[in-house]
Amino acid sequence: MTNVVLNMSVSVDGFSAGPDVTAEHPMGKGGERLHEWLFTSGSDRATAAGGTSPNGVDAQVEQEILASTGAVVLGRRTFDVGVELWGDTPFPVPCFVLSHQAREQLIMRSAAFTFVTDGIESALRQARAAARDRCVLIMGGASTAQQFVRAGLVDEIQIQLVPVLLGSGTRLFDHLGTDHIELERERSLESPNVTHLRFHVAK
């Protein structure tokens, strides 16, 4: 069955966005720091072959995510604050937006956004059908991630751990209840910009 992968950049103190998320600040105030590793220029991203050099780790991980993703699930707030900035979409695959309000499908240059009003199970079912033999990526935000984790629907968690303490904002793993969720570390890769962690969710 298609793997469901939660992939998020977080600060060392656990925030996936800064405070006061708006269209002007889609990652919250100061939250754009969490995604700087995606835009590092120069030699740090120049050699991704084989991932053997720390200079190529970030590009390697980014390429792996793009290549393995067949569909994306995201929350309506993430869509609302991000769509104008994206210009198209970060992933040229079918995207499913969790929403309380119905809306016609939005067709963009390389992707289509389908708005799902009947819950995460329905969104996941549609995303799995669209992804075929590739992964379903849970893109965000934190509330969407938490819903999928609480429901036991996530197979893999990929954390891009950014060396910064944001101090405030939205924590990725709040509101999960009191039960332990065991994780099995599968990989850890480091660059000067970020530590890439990959865990299998034990079930």
Side-chain angles (χ1 to χ4, degrees), residues 135-189:
C135 296
V136 173
L137 183 72
I138 309 303
M139 179 175 164
S143 176
T144 297
Q146 291 159 13
Q147 290 181 63
F148 275 87
V149 173
R150 281 199 307 268
L153 297 176
V154 175
D155 301 303
E156 183 177 298
I157 295 176
Q158 296 187 23
I159 294 296
Q160 321 307 330
L161 188 62
V162 181
V164 64
L165 300 172
L166 285 188
S168 64
T170 303
R171 293 187 187 276
L172 177 57
F173 292 121
D174 272 352
H175 313 300
L176 296 183
T178 58
D179 292 338
H180 288 186
I181 300 173
E182 293 291 337
L183 306 178
E184 301 166 355
R185 191 178 68 178
E186 295 186 337
R187 188 173 75 174
S188 176
L189 298 174

Side-chain angles (χ1 to χ4, degrees), residues 83-117:
V83 66
E84 295 297 328
L85 294 176
W86 296 337
D88 195 336
T89 174
F91 296 95
V93 295
C95 298
F96 298 87
V97 182
L98 296 169
S99 179
H100 294 297
Q101 296 180 330
R103 174 175 169 172
E104 292 294 322
Q105 186 182 55
L106 174 64
I107 306 295
M108 301 185 77
R109 187 178 69 236
S110 63
F113 289 89
T114 299
F115 297 83
V116 181
T117 59

